[in-house]
Amino acid sequence: MQTDVANQTSNITVEDDRTGLSIETLKRAFADNLFYIQGKLAILANFTDYYMALSYTTRDRLLQRWLQTLKVYHEQDIKTVYYLSAEFLMGRHLGNSLINLDLYESIAQAVKESGLDLTEILEQEPDPGLGNGGLGRLAACFLDSLATLEIPAMGYGIRYEFGIFNQSIQHGWQVEIPDKWLRCGNPWEVVRYESTVQVKFGGHTEIYNDDRGRPHTRWIPSFTVEGIPHDTPVPGYQTNTVNTLRLWKAEAGEDFNFQAFNSGDYDGAVATKIKSETISKVLYPNDNTPQGRQLRLEQQFFFVSCSLQDIIRRHLKKYGRLDNLPEHAAVQLNDTHPAISIAEMMRLLVDEHGLFWDEAWRITQSTFAYTNHTLMPEALEKWGVPLFESLLPRHLEIIYEINHRFLQDVQTWYPDDEELLARLSIIEENGGKQVRMANLATVGSHAVNGVAALHTELLKQDVLSDFYKLWPEKFNNKTNGVTPRRWVLLANPALSELISEKIGGTWLKHLDELRKLESFVDDSDFRQRWRQIKQANKQKLADYIMAHNCVEVDVNSIFDIQVKRIHEYKRQHLDLLHIIALYLRIKQNPHIQMTPRTFIFGGKAAPGYFMAKLIIKAINAVADVVNRDPDVHGRLKVVFLANFSASLGQLIYPAADLSEQISTAGKEASGTGNMKFTMNGALTIGTLDGANIEIREEVGEENFFLFGLTAAEVEKMKTDGYKPRDYYESNEELRHVLDRLAMGYFSPGDKDLFKPLVDSLLNHDDYMLLADYQAYADCQDKVGEAYKDVEQWTTMSILNVARSGKFSSDRTIKEYCDEIWHVKPVNVELEPYDPAKA
Ligand code: GPW
């Protein structure tokens, strides 16, 4: 039908304000958006206005690809990946969109000709912090790779109104500030009210008979919440594919609103509204340590139910039947946070769509796969049965039924092994019944994977060993990766340009091609430019440190960096013990030779994690003493950068000389920061943990600083009876370091401040810092020596980058596609946008 709107706009050509790519058109579009979207005259506009106008200019250029991708997915017979995750740490969108659309240079030029600076505008964007750390950032890297590889895929999660808190440091302590990231509006989301779904909570179940007299179960909820989809485009790199990240916002169900409102119960209406909206209000700031709070379970069920209903609705519309769902949908569970999916899918199929149990179970098992991200026993999610029953009564019944049938099978395979049954059961029976989400996810999925080779081996031998005995074929490894588009091209443009000049630009899609850099390792001009780029990146970070911490750092010193969530198993305090040791060495021997170092830390602590917060305070306390002391001047500096985030990471990784990956062996499932450092030419000091092992394998042991106990040695020591105090007694330097901390040397106003930290190390030391201390200090001495040999260090740095190709998330995603999801790329051809035909 020819509408008036279509008639009026049918003369628009490709070079219009919304799709045109010439500098002139981009400038005009930018000015136009400033006027019509931001409602500002150019002379009155501020940087937020520029950022918004430029974002809309860029978004317009994404929309054609995005809508075309949706059209192709709608029309073709395809299989789609659904990545369910409670966290997506996407990072800033504008710079990434410009990179992936190949628009960066032209926009930079257009902005320049408008009298502005693009990098300054990019800094205005609030960093969407809808995740805690590695797990959420992995989800974002995976979406980038899926779109780049042209795989039909959709991310599903929660649109938190408040993301991870902003961290400020006051008197050395972490202070949490709410993250109002939506304050100025979000140009990257499109609200799809028409796809709103209803989510039930609470109430009870009842049996009823259908017309043929067959019994069914019905769930009568006590309240209903609406899920409103907010869609964000996810552009692939140099491809037409733009996938969708669909995040759900919780709102009050309409009937509830009106019932209370119409009867004059305004307080009641408001209370319902608040209760509903609370569900997507705030991200839980715990990493690797879940808290069994009711609201958290509500969040998990909310986004799972929204997403599965959405998937089923779309599938039914296209195919009219559900038996073939596994041929068209692969659903990946990002840890157990969405594991309630298994029960919800069964409920939807059996209760709402009338399928038989066995058929529903076949569909469920063949659709879902589960990724485990931790071995730490306290991080495995469990929910008390009473809470579960009050919030999700029907799901508890379904879980009991799944468990009953599963344990019956086990009994026929392994008769009379009560202990095996108790370990495998989805319900933990001792000490208050609990639902074990990892067991539910494992039973309900056809594939279970770990995130690095060692981690998967330990899963098979330890945490999930009983399941591995039942179903060895379910278990597989998928070593993590990171996207080189954000973490090299966007973060380190100078290095990227040098690399492309030498080996061409295709490495950004085929990261293994970085190997070609090895043939330039002896090229002295190349080596010199390599060093200059690192130096310039260090200078940028030094400027940031001066601006934010008022500390002057020497760019010729080793930038020795540990950035990640603060956790005892990650051992930021091992780094700190060594810093104190260096400080004391200088104090004892003021003329000692030492390679100058700048120690840089960044990372957030969970607000309720006392020891992690004390570690932050300790780092800052040591920094205060060290940075002020003229005796160590020119040799040591310590800096804690507040509010570490994806965007701060983009500044930090390219500036690092040394990457600290020093977790207790067997505790870090993979790590992904380790990969970002390596790709940017930092060398690693690390333990044989997580993906460190594979990084070392790739770059060569001579290009990696290894220290510490192995996972097996850690376990053996624990069973043999580990006594940390023995190390204290027998190691003089370590004793001095711990004594100074315990005595209050770094906390003059409060001498006992760090006693809990020292006591914990002397009496328990769950993460074996004292056992690893000397090996770490010795290894750091080797680092100091190695850095003095500039040429050798340059060679090692180049080889680290040249051999980092394995750690592209493209490689990881290809493995998921081939071995778990069985999905293929779908080509998206662009049709010129013509409103007359739209
Ligand atoms: F506990 N990871 C994380 F397994 O960032 F759920 N948050 C988490 O809550 C968990 C894991 C969980 C991290 C791992 O600690 C890290 O080793 C891994 O590289 C990352 O997940 C991505 O797999």
Side-chain angles (χ1 to χ4, degrees):
M1 192 184 73
Q2 279 283 354
T3 63
D4 286 349
V5 177
N7 278 331
Q8 283 163 24
T9 52
S10 58
N11 59 344
I12 291 175
T13 61
V14 174
E15 191 66 15
D16 70 18
D17 267 16
R18 295 202 160 192
T19 55
L21 301 175
S22 73
I23 308 289
E24 281 312 308
T25 307
L26 292 171
K27 274 162 66 179
R28 202 173 57 238
F30 178 47
D32 191 82
N33 281 327
L34 203 54
F35 192 95
Y36 285 104
I37 303 280
Q38 280 309 94
K40 280 278 177 86
L41 289 173
I43 44 159
L44 296 178
N46 60 28
F47 271 96
T48 300
D49 298 321
Y50 298 142
Y51 158 69
M52 293 295 277
L54 202 58
S55 294
Y56 280 104
T57 306
T58 307
R59 189 183 108 164
D60 284 342
R61 278 140 190 89
L62 272 173
L63 270 165
Q64 189 188 10
R65 287 179 163 78
W66 194 12
L67 300 188
Q68 186 64 22
T69 303
L70 292 175
K71 180 169 178 246
V72 168
Y73 291 175
H74 176 73
E75 288 170 356
Q76 293 187 21
D77 202 34
I78 57 169
K79 182 168 182 181
T80 305
V81 175
Y82 297 102
Y83 199 81
L84 266 59
S85 178
E87 305 186 9
F88 285 92
L89 251 186
M90 298 297 285
R92 289 176 173 152
H93 291 288
L94 179 52
N96 188 247
S97 301
L98 294 176
I99 289 273
N100 281 15
L101 289 172
D102 242 338
L103 247 165
Y104 197 99
E105 297 304 323
S106 344
I107 285 278
Q109 184 61 25
V111 166
K112 194 174 164 194
E113 291 181 18
S114 308
L116 296 161
D117 173 39
L118 177 59
T119 52
E120 215 172 330
I121 295 177
L122 296 182
E123 286 297 312
Q124 301 305 308
E125 180 172 354
D127 192 337
L130 308 189
N132 275 286
L135 174 137
R137 183 54 229 177
L138 185 76
C141 285
F142 280 5
L143 293 187
D144 182 88
S145 286
L146 281 161
T148 299
L149 295 169
E150 306 182 324
I151 303 295
M154 201 159 167
Y156 274 121
I158 301 173
R159 181 184 177 274
Y160 300 106
E161 188 178 333
F162 297 95
I164 186 68
F165 61 85
N166 283 310
Q167 177 195 55
S168 112
I169 301 296
Q170 292 175 20
H171 308 293
W173 294 99
Q174 166 175 297
V175 174
E176 300 91 12
I177 297 159
D179 164 44
K180 302 182 183 172
W181 71 291
L182 291 168
R183 200 171 22 196
C184 300
N186 176 6
W188 303 102
E189 70 188 7
V190 175
V191 190
R192 305 284 188 197
Y193 280 100
E194 70 279 14
S195 301
T196 297
V197 299
Q198 310 290 322
V199 180
K200 304 182 220 178
F201 287 96
H204 62 278
T205 65
E206 59 185 33
I207 310 276
Y208 70 99
N209 288 325
D210 66 16
D211 344 341
R212 289 187 247 168
R214 286 185 312 210
H216 296 275
T217 305
R218 176 154 60 203
W219 177 17
I220 319 290
S222 56
F223 67 103
T224 304
V225 173
E226 288 188 347
I228 320 286
H230 288 60
D231 290 0
T232 297
V234 181
Y237 178 63
Q238 293 185 350
T239 164
N240 294 328
T241 300
V242 176
N243 284 331
T244 300
L245 169 62
R246 174 161 282 187
L247 301 178
W248 301 96
K249 175 178 192 284
E251 288 189 6
E254 253 181 64
D255 47 342
F256 256 94
N257 248 344
F258 278 111
Q259 265 175 34
F261 198 84
N262 290 343
S263 63
D265 177 11
Y266 301 114
D267 293 357
V270 172
T272 307
K273 182 171 154 61
I274 289 175
K275 176 162 173 43
S276 305
E277 291 179 356
T278 300
I279 292 177
S280 58
K281 190 62 76 178
V282 57
L283 167 80
Y284 276 95
N286 303 304
D287 182 278
N288 265 295
T289 43
Q291 282 177 322
R293 308 293 294 271
Q294 169 159 345
L295 178 58
R296 171 77 174 175
L297 183 57
E298 288 174 7
Q299 290 185 336
Q300 295 185 350
F301 178 67
F302 167 70
F303 95 88
V304 158
S305 182
C306 289
S307 310
L308 297 185
Q309 290 186 61
D310 202 40
I311 292 168
I312 288 175
R313 178 188 52 74
R314 209 172 320 107
H315 182 87
L316 277 177
K317 202 171 148 199
K318 196 160 169 182
Y319 299 100
R321 46 189 257 234
L322 286 168
D323 62 291
N324 62 348
L325 183 69
E327 290 152 46
H328 298 284
V331 184
Q332 193 68 30
L333 304 175
N334 198 21
D335 212 86
T336 55
H337 316 150
I340 186 62
S341 288
I342 303 298
E344 173 67 351
M345 182 61 104
M346 287 300 288
R347 187 190 70 81
L348 290 167
L349 295 179
V350 173
D351 293 358
E352 309 239 328
H353 295 280
L355 273 68
F356 289 116
W357 181 278
D358 290 326
E359 173 68 348
W361 187 242
R362 178 192 68 80
I363 293 171
T364 300
Q365 272 197 321
S366 13
T367 301
F368 287 99
Y370 157 55
T371 305
N372 173 290
H373 295 264
T374 184
L375 298 161
M376 309 244 295
E378 66 267 34
L380 297 176
E381 286 193 301
K382 291 172 191 169
W383 296 103
V385 164
L387 167 62
F388 222 96
E389 187 161 26
S390 73
L391 203 64
L392 303 169
R394 179 58 182 144
H395 296 79
L396 188 63
E397 291 174 1
I398 289 171
I399 287 170
Y400 280 146
E401 182 66 23
I402 293 172
N403 201 35
H404 175 72
R405 289 169 181 245
F406 165 55
L407 293 181
Q408 261 185 344
D409 285 348
V410 176
Q411 231 154 358
T412 63
W413 302 328
Y414 297 91
D416 305 321
D417 192 340
E418 287 300 317
E419 284 179 9
L420 178 69
L421 286 181
R423 292 197 302 270
L424 287 169
S425 175
I426 300 170
I427 307 295
E428 186 172 304
E429 303 280 352
N430 357 317
K433 280 192 173 191
Q434 294 196 302
V435 184
R436 297 161 164 165
M437 300 310 276
N439 294 31
L440 177 62
T442 304
V443 172
S445 299
H446 67 277
V448 177
N449 74 282
V451 291
L454 173 71
H455 171 232
T456 301
E457 282 314 304
L458 294 175
L459 268 185
K460 294 197 282 191
Q461 291 163 25
D462 193 36
V463 182
L464 296 178
S465 60
D466 295 313
F467 289 101
Y468 179 61
K469 269 172 241 150
L470 295 187
W471 303 305
E473 67 288 349
K474 267 195 196 185
F475 287 78
N476 67 97
N477 176 246
K478 296 285 166 284
T479 298
N480 284 165
V482 303
T483 171
R485 273 75 65 180
R486 181 176 293 272
W487 297 112
V488 187
L489 181 55
L490 184 57
N492 203 341
L495 189 71
S496 302
E497 202 181 313
L498 175 61
I499 293 172
S500 295
E501 186 188 309
K502 292 293 171 192
I503 67 172
T506 49
W507 59 278
L508 284 155
K509 277 199 175 194
H510 308 276
L511 205 65
D512 284 326
E513 292 179 8
L514 286 175
R515 290 260 173 198
K516 294 181 192 161
L517 288 174
E518 287 195 38
S519 56
F520 299 93
V521 75
D522 295 323
D523 175 336
S524 67
D525 171 65
F526 174 71
R527 295 169 61 87
Q528 195 187 340
R529 286 168 67 194
W530 190 273
R531 283 193 292 267
Q532 281 166 352
I533 288 165
K534 179 63 80 181
Q535 204 73 356
N537 292 338
K538 287 170 77 173
Q539 186 59 56
K540 264 176 68 184
L541 182 56
D543 294 345
Y544 182 93
I545 291 170
M546 178 50 90
H548 290 81
N549 293 52
C550 295
V551 174
E552 187 174 2
V553 301
D554 171 10
V555 292
N556 295 309
S557 66
I558 305 177
F559 275 24
D560 176 332
I561 307 187
Q562 187 170 20
V563 284
K564 52 184 76 226
R565 286 299 288 249
I566 312 293
H567 209 299
E568 286 160 283
Y569 86 80
K570 297 177 188 280
R571 302 200 295 192
Q572 280 91 356
H573 47 337
L574 177 57
D575 200 336
L576 189 64
L577 294 182
H578 171 245
I579 294 170
I580 299 173
L582 292 183
Y583 176 69
L584 296 181
R585 281 184 207 171
I586 297 174
K587 295 302 276 186
Q588 272 161 18
N589 178 2
H591 299 294
I592 192 172
Q593 287 288 311
M594 194 178 284
T595 314
R597 294 248 193 177
T598 302
F599 293 95
I600 298 166
F601 293 86
K604 295 176 185 178
Y609 188 169
F610 167 77
M611 204 58 89
K613 292 180 121 175
L614 193 58
I615 290 171
I616 292 178
K617 173 67 181 172
I619 293 169
N620 283 308
V622 171
D624 273 348
V625 171
V626 169
N627 296 347
R628 269 175 229 274
D629 190 333
D631 291 356
V632 303
H633 190 79
R635 283 180 283 184
L636 279 190
K637 280 278 162 67
V638 181
V639 175
F640 188 96
L641 288 174
N643 207 32
F644 180 62
S645 59
S647 45
L648 195 47
Q650 289 171 214
L651 178 67
I652 291 175
Y653 298 117
D657 294 308
L658 190 66
S659 155
E660 297 269 355
Q661 307 300 335
I662 61 178
S663 53
T664 315
K667 300 294 177 198
E668 189 70 274
S670 163
T672 44
N674 47 5
M675 302 167 185
K676 297 165 196 169
F677 278 111
T678 301
M679 278 181 199
N680 282 283
L683 307 190
T684 304
I685 181 165
T687 48
L688 285 177
D689 200 15
N692 295 352
I693 297 173
E694 291 158 77
I695 291 176
R696 178 166 171 267
E697 257 165 38
E698 292 293 307
V699 305
E701 56 184 65
E702 67 285 8
N703 302 307
F704 187 106
F705 296 98
L706 177 71
F707 77 95
L709 298 169
T710 63
E713 287 165 350
V714 166
E715 279 318 302
K716 178 158 191 325
M717 244 186 191
K718 285 228 166 119
T719 46
D720 291 354
Y722 170 55
K723 295 206 195 64
R725 216 172 265 276
D726 292 351
Y727 292 88
Y728 170 83
E729 308 285 357
S730 63
N731 186 327
E732 192 184 332
E733 182 172 77
L734 178 59
R735 192 165 62 247
H736 285 161
V737 167
L738 289 168
D739 287 348
R740 290 286 177 120
L741 255 183
M743 277 161 37
Y745 184 91
F746 299 100
S747 52
D750 182 355
K751 300 225 176 286
D752 291 335
L753 185 60
F754 299 122
K755 268 206 81 186
L757 195 56
V758 178
D759 285 347
S760 154
L761 291 176
L762 290 177
N763 299 325
H764 312 284
D765 195 14
D766 290 336
Y767 301 105
M768 306 220 148
L769 280 78
L770 303 200
D772 269 343
Y773 173 79
Q774 196 55 53
Y776 178 61
D778 292 345
C779 191
Q780 279 286 23
D781 287 343
K782 284 191 203 147
V783 171
E785 282 306 304
Y787 193 75
K788 286 197 265 180
D789 185 345
V790 177
E791 292 302 334
Q792 187 53 32
W793 190 277
T794 305
T795 300
M796 292 195 287
S797 170
I798 294 169
L799 291 180
N800 264 263
V801 175
R803 298 171 181 177
S804 67
K806 174 175 174 183
F807 305 102
S808 167
S809 45
D810 297 348
R811 186 268 313 150
T812 313
I813 284 299
K814 277 194 199 106
E815 292 177 5
Y816 275 95
C817 288
D818 294 346
E819 296 161 25
I820 299 181
W821 302 329
H822 306 290
V823 292
K824 292 197 166 48
V826 170
N827 183 45
V828 175
E829 293 287 353
L830 231 46
E831 297 163 11
Y833 172 62
D834 182 351
K837 294 197 196 120

